[in-house]
Amino acid sequence: IDAAVDLHYNFVAAIDFCMEKNITIGAICAAPSIPGHRNLLEGRKAVCFPGFEYDLYVAYIQNAYSFTDGNFITAKLRIGICI
């Protein structure tokens, strides 16, 4: 369980680092809910896998397969590649 906790904190630290440095963050399928839960998508346009829209909180949900807003790239497909 300690390893899972460490992984979570490292993942959150990586997102925070990317936000501070304005590095692009890609999230596919339900993954946009992670920055959504941290209110990082506030005021941004985003997409996610159908059924997870509520988890994006105050993001503006778009009717598209993918969307880029600032340093966030979100996509609703279950299969994809982030580069």
Side-chain angles (χ1 to χ4, degrees):
I1 197 162
D2 290 336
V5 171
D6 289 343
L7 179 62
H8 169 77
Y9 286 113
N10 288 336
F11 183 71
V12 169
I15 292 174
D16 290 341
F17 177 81
C18 290
M19 289 298 295
E20 289 171 15
K21 304 293 184 185
N22 202 31
I23 296 172
T24 300
I25 299 170
I28 298 171
C29 192
S33 65
I34 297 168
H37 281 249
R38 301 189 68 234
N39 290 320
L40 299 177
L41 296 176
E42 183 175 356
R44 296 177 185 259
K45 297 176 182 175
V47 298
C48 62
F49 192 72
F52 286 87
E53 293 86 358
Y54 180 77
D55 294 310
L56 300 188
Y57 296 115
V58 291
Y60 298 107
I61 308 300
Q62 301 300 297
N63 184 21
Y65 288 108
S66 64
F67 203 87
T68 301
D69 188 343
N71 63 321
F72 278 99
I73 301 171
T74 55
K76 63 172 57 176
L77 301 175
R78 287 180 280 181
I79 302 171
I81 299 171
C82 284
I83 300 176

